């Protein structure tokens, strides 16, 4: 059974989320359980009817086993609508090309998938997925409203850019069937913004140890230090909060000295970054 839920989850960066079967071994994972897809009405407030239909169909595509295509189309002016699939990750091309149902290659993939009765491997992904936080964790995939490929793009959306060390204190908050992990972290270095070193902040992420997003930053661990680009989280109904969210769900790097390695799956952000002095200030640079 598939249950679709539309709720206000606050300003999450994603329009919808669904089970991710590209990281499961057997098709019985789907048949043995009730499956939920969640759509965020907060992100739908200005969406067109076409976009709402596209998002619903896109999430159902994930539920029956379809992944994002490896060749993601971001701008139809570069390639036209021919290669824009229903499962394209990005909103804008799907809306401009009115993708509200599976395209021919996707229908063929569904037919092949169910005739073979097996889920294809995760090789369809262009990067490795975020690892599970615990054995048996259920993978989900988040469909973000915006894509971020560069440090400049995440910087433009960030309220602060800070290096943090989780304290080990965290809690799980739920809205409907959706879980969020809120982690307390101590700021060890402030790159941009008014947060000071030594300050304790709370960072909100999708998922918990029982279900996790394969295309988001890993749940922050107390044995690691992270460079993060953060924005303020707006709660359901537009209420202000004291929590932060990682920009685009993905802008976090595990630090080893002044070198950081991307802690997110399925992201086009730089895999490696460095923090160094530049003209008297601290600056982050891509090391790719």
């Amino acid at each position: 059974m598939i249950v679709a839920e539309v709720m206000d989850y606050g300003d999450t960066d994603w329009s919808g989320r669904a089970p991710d079967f590209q990281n499961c071994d057997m098709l019985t994972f789907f048949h043995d359980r009730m499956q939920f897809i969640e759509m965020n009405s907060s992100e739908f407030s200005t969406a067109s009817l076409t976009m709402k239909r596209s998002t619903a169909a896109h999430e159902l595509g994930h539920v029956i086993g379809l992944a994002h295509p490896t060749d993601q189309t971001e701008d139809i002016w570069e390639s036209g609508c021919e290669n824009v699939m229903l499962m394209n990750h990005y909103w804008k091309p799907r809306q401009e090309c009115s993708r509200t149902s599976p395209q021919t290659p996707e229908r063929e993939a569904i037919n092949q998938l169910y005739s073979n009765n097996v889920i294809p491997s995760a090789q369809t992904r262009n990067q490795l997925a975020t690892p599970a936080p615990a054995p048996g964790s259920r993978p989900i995939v988040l469909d973000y409203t915006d894509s971020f490929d560069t440090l400049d793009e995440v910087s433009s959306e960030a309220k602060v850019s800070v290096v943090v060390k989780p304290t080990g204190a965290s809690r799980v908050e739920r809205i409907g069937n959706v879980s969020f992990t809120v982690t307390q972290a101590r700021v060890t270095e402030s790159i941009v913004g008014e947060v000071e070193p030594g300050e304790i902040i709370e960072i909100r992420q999708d998922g918990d140890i029982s279900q996790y997003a394969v295309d988001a930053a890993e749940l922050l661990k107390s044995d690691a230090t992270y460079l993060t680009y953060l924005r303020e989280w707006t709660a359901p109904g537009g209420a202000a909060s004291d929590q932060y969210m990682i920009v685009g769900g993905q802008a976090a790097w595990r630090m080893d000295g002044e070198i950081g390695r991307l802690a997110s799956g399925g992201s086009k952000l730089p895999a490696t970054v460095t923090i160094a002095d530049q003209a008297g200030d601290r600056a982050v640079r891509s090391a790719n």
Side-chain angles (χ1 to χ4, degrees):
M1 178 184 292
I2 302 171
V3 178
E5 182 177 64
V6 180
M7 286 188 66
D8 182 355
Y9 299 105
D11 182 13
T12 60
D13 284 336
W14 51 264
S15 56
R17 45 173 267 167
D20 178 47
F21 296 100
Q22 299 303 311
N23 285 282
C24 299
D25 295 327
M26 300 296 292
L27 194 61
T28 52
F29 182 89
F30 169 63
H31 292 299
D32 289 351
R33 296 173 171 86
M34 178 182 294
Q35 301 299 339
F36 289 88
I37 62 174
E38 288 94 10
M39 290 174 283
N40 191 358
S41 61
S42 176
E43 302 292 347
F44 276 162
S45 60
T46 59
S48 67
L49 179 59
T50 296
M51 200 60 249
K52 292 175 182 178
R53 288 175 173 172
S54 178
T55 299
H58 180 104
E59 300 310 324
L60 287 170
H62 283 308
V63 169
I64 64 175
L66 294 178
H68 298 139
T70 55
D71 184 14
Q72 296 281 340
T73 299
E74 295 188 53
D75 190 345
I76 65 168
W77 301 113
E78 296 177 357
S79 59
C81 287
E82 181 179 357
N83 295 320
V84 177
M85 301 290 110
L86 173 67
M87 300 310 295
N88 196 86
H89 198 167
Y90 306 111
W91 271 42
K92 189 175 179 181
R94 285 192 278 128
Q95 174 167 285
E96 292 176 338
C97 297
S98 299
R99 294 297 186 250
T100 59
S101 63
Q103 302 302 291
T104 299
E106 294 167 322
R107 292 195 295 270
E108 292 173 350
I110 293 169
N111 289 334
Q112 181 180 11
L113 173 63
Y114 282 85
S115 64
N116 293 337
N117 199 40
V118 63
I119 290 292
S121 71
Q123 64 184 357
T124 54
R125 297 195 176 278
N126 52 13
Q127 288 194 25
L128 293 177
T130 298
S137 296
R138 299 181 65 184
I140 58 174
V141 60
L142 303 177
D143 287 304
Y144 298 110
T145 54
D146 295 298
S147 64
F148 296 94
D149 300 346
T150 69
L151 293 175
D152 286 342
E153 289 174 349
V154 293
S155 295
S156 68
E157 293 293 321
K159 176 76 170 180
V160 298
S161 174
V162 291
V163 178
V164 297
K165 173 72 173 177
T167 64
S170 65
R171 65 183 184 276
V172 174
E173 297 181 354
R174 298 185 184 278
I175 302 176
N177 290 308
V178 176
S179 59
F180 299 89
T181 296
V182 180
T183 301
Q184 290 187 2
R186 185 182 304 276
V187 176
T188 62
E189 182 176 1
S190 180
I191 309 296
V192 176
E194 298 180 358
V195 178
E196 297 294 332
E199 191 171 339
I200 301 293
I201 62 174
E202 290 192 330
I203 301 175
R204 185 181 188 86
Q205 294 178 271
D206 291 276
D208 55 26
I209 62 170
S210 67
Q211 59 174 336
Y212 69 104
V214 300
D215 53 347
E218 66 184 18
L219 297 181
L220 302 182
K221 298 177 173 62
S222 59
D223 62 353
T225 300
Y226 299 88
L227 165 67
T228 58
Y229 287 78
L230 305 174
R231 63 173 182 79
E232 296 172 320
W233 177 60
T234 302
S241 79
D242 295 327
Q243 297 177 8
Y244 290 93
M245 291 196 77
I246 296 170
V247 171
Q250 299 178 328
W253 288 261
R254 269 184 176 243
M255 298 303 297
D256 181 4
E258 295 189 339
I259 298 176
R261 292 176 174 80
L262 189 64
S264 303
S267 175
K268 291 185 177 181
L269 288 169
T272 307
V273 299
T274 60
I275 304 176
D277 294 325
Q278 179 176 302
D281 294 321
R282 298 285 278 170
V284 181
R285 292 289 179 263
S286 171
N288 285 6

